[in-house]
Amino acid sequence: MNVKKFTGISMQEVMSKIRAEFGNDAVILNSKVVNSNGILGLFKKKSFEVIAALDTDSVESKKTTFTKVNKDTIPSIKKESIEQPVQFSNSTKKDIDNPSNEILKKLHDMKQMLSLESKYNHFPDPLRELHHQLVVMELDKHIIDKLLEYLLGKWRNNQRSAEMTKADLSELVHIYLLEQLKNFAVNGEQLFKRKYINIVGPTGVGKTTTIAKIAAEYVIKHNKKIAFITTDTYRIAAIEQLKTYAEILRVPVEVAYNSDDFKQAAERFAHYDHVFIDTAGRNFRNQEFVEELKGLIDFNIDMLTYLVLSATSKEIDMTAIYNQFSIIPIHGAIFTKLDETAYHGSVVNFILKHHVPVIYMTNGQDVPDDIIATTPDKIVKMVCGGHLYV
């Protein structure tokens, strides 16, 4: 196998070099954007670096046949396309069944993810470079499609398009995404009109810490009288953790082992402004858990239910989690662990795919500091920050 590094000022230039030297049988092993030093972090020059390989044995023998890349396929750097999974020819499937061909399968996947025949070849160079940045941001390919068409229209309508700067394009991206998210803006006053705030989600996403952050905001910033109910009776540590937060905030907490316990706790806290409900984190693939939750908590009372998701999760898992919990009313989402990943396109993808607003985002473990009440503008700045031209 022949492996070589190619560089260029645009992805199209790099792809041309690869095609010229390796032909259409080349596969992409890795790609990245390399930044040169700028002035005060501005005017940085970007170049593209791609590691490509040619399996000379495979080319000569023609024993393995890769399917032809569809010109409409959008390259994906970070993950496989959910809606268009990799398709293999019959001969390729037989080869992949053989463990010795696992490397060939991975190479094939990589080639599919970064097609040598991009549909954006006819776009101006700045838009093709921007396309790569949007992919790195992990925006959904359908969102990228519409965004690039919008930008191309702006480019063509601008009589001075040759003078359109990268900063102009970045601003247009911001404007476009804001327009898409405006219907999912959160009305802060609405958050305080429901008595019960219920937090649900899979295990390990930080529900208990998140509910403590929100509760602290209600108590400290808004002087609300609050209480806790926890139904997380599967982990003693979770109960003790919530009790610790309750002691710090000087608020009561009740443990509900069944629906009767929950009703009694709700009655006890009838005169409180808000009651926060912490639920158990279980395997989200188990539908019985959500059914059990429906039997334990009365969702017909004056309640807001927020689904907590980790920003580090795979997008396909986020969709599966939402689908499992959607049998109960979901009024908004909370994304945690934003500090543990630099790529947040999945937040925008989730909002536009499921039409669910994101209420809060958390970016650390400190209570009550590391939490952000969201707005479309904050979401767009978070998603685009550090990944576009400016």
Side-chain angles (χ1 to χ4, degrees), residues 299 304-306 325-331:
F299 288 93
L304 288 172
T305 297
Y306 299 147
F325 281 95
S326 62
I327 66 172
I328 60 178
I330 300 296
H331 301 97

Side-chain angles (χ1 to χ4, degrees), residues 159-213:
Q159 294 181 353
R160 300 185 303 113
S161 60
E163 300 178 19
M164 184 177 285
T165 67
K166 294 178 178 180
D168 294 332
L169 290 175
S170 294
E171 183 179 357
L172 287 173
V173 171
H174 193 105
I175 292 171
Y176 178 87
L177 292 178
L178 275 179
E179 180 67 20
Q180 301 305 306
L181 296 177
K182 71 177 184 180
N183 292 330
F184 306 101
V186 179
N187 184 339
E189 294 182 0
Q190 295 296 322
L191 300 179
F192 300 98
K193 290 187 176 181
R194 299 288 184 95
K195 181 180 181 66
Y196 297 92
I197 296 91
N198 183 34
I199 303 295
V200 301
T203 184
V205 296
K207 291 190 300 301
T208 302
T209 303
T210 299
I211 203 172
K213 292 176 182 178

Side-chain angles (χ1 to χ4, degrees), residues 10 41-42 49 154 156 166 172 177 202 224 233 262 267 285 288 294 300 307 316 369 384:
S10 70
L42 301 175
E49 181 179 294
K154 291 291 186 181
R156 289 172 174 170
K166 294 178 178 180
L172 287 173
L177 292 178
K224 299 292 184 178
T233 58
F262 182 84
E267 291 174 0
R285 295 181 179 86
E288 293 180 0
K294 286 181 65 178
N300 295 318
L307 175 64
I316 190 172
D369 297 326
C384 297

Side-chain angles (χ1 to χ4, degrees), residues 2 32 34 36 64 95 105 107 118 166 180 209 223 236 254-255 258 273 296 299 304 324 331 348 352 367 377 385 388:
N2 189 3
K32 65 180 180 179
V34 180
S36 63
T64 303
D95 288 338
K105 175 183 180 298
L107 293 178
S118 170
K166 294 178 178 180
Q180 301 305 306
T209 303
N223 198 30
I236 296 176
E254 287 285 342
V255 180
N258 51 51
D273 295 324
L296 178 61
F299 288 93
L304 288 172
Q324 286 285 50
H331 301 97
V348 171
L352 297 182
V367 178
D377 185 65
L388 290 182

Side-chain angles (χ1 to χ4, degrees), residues 4-6 11-24 26-28 50-53 116:
K4 186 176 179 179
K5 179 170 70 176
F6 296 83
M11 186 60 72
Q12 183 186 31
E13 178 185 337
V14 178
M15 293 298 103
S16 296
K17 290 180 180 178
I18 295 173
R19 191 181 294 109
E21 182 161 343
F22 283 171
N24 292 329
V27 292
I28 306 303
V50 177
I51 307 297
L116 294 177

Side-chain angles (χ1 to χ4, degrees), residues 102-164:
E102 181 66 21
I103 294 178
L104 292 179
K105 175 183 180 298
K106 292 181 178 179
L107 293 178
H108 177 79
D109 291 349
M110 292 177 183
K111 185 175 180 179
Q112 290 287 76
M113 289 191 290
L114 190 59
S115 167
L116 294 177
E117 297 180 336
S118 170
K119 67 179 291 184
Y120 298 110
N121 282 343
H122 66 287
F123 278 43
D125 286 343
L127 291 183
R128 285 200 302 272
E129 183 179 347
L130 180 61
H131 165 259
H132 179 77
Q133 303 304 314
L134 296 172
V135 172
V136 170
M137 288 159 53
E138 298 190 348
L139 281 177
D140 182 85
K141 71 183 190 68
H142 297 293
I143 298 175
I144 294 176
D145 273 351
K146 295 178 180 178
L147 173 54
L148 264 293
E149 290 296 335
Y150 163 80
L151 294 175
L152 182 62
K154 291 291 186 181
W155 184 280
R156 289 172 174 170
N157 291 335
N158 191 329
Q159 294 181 353
R160 300 185 303 113
S161 60
E163 300 178 19
M164 184 177 285

Side-chain angles (χ1 to χ4, degrees), residues 200-202 282-294 299 305 307 309 316-330 350 354:
V200 301
R282 302 282 291 281
N283 188 337
F284 66 86
R285 295 181 179 86
N286 187 352
Q287 185 66 44
E288 293 180 0
F289 161 63
V290 184
E291 294 288 350
E292 179 183 326
L293 195 62
K294 286 181 65 178
F299 288 93
T305 297
L307 175 64
L309 298 167
I316 190 172
D317 287 335
M318 293 183 189
T319 297
I321 293 166
Y322 175 79
N323 290 338
Q324 286 285 50
F325 281 95
S326 62
I327 66 172
I328 60 178
I330 300 296
F350 182 88
H354 302 293

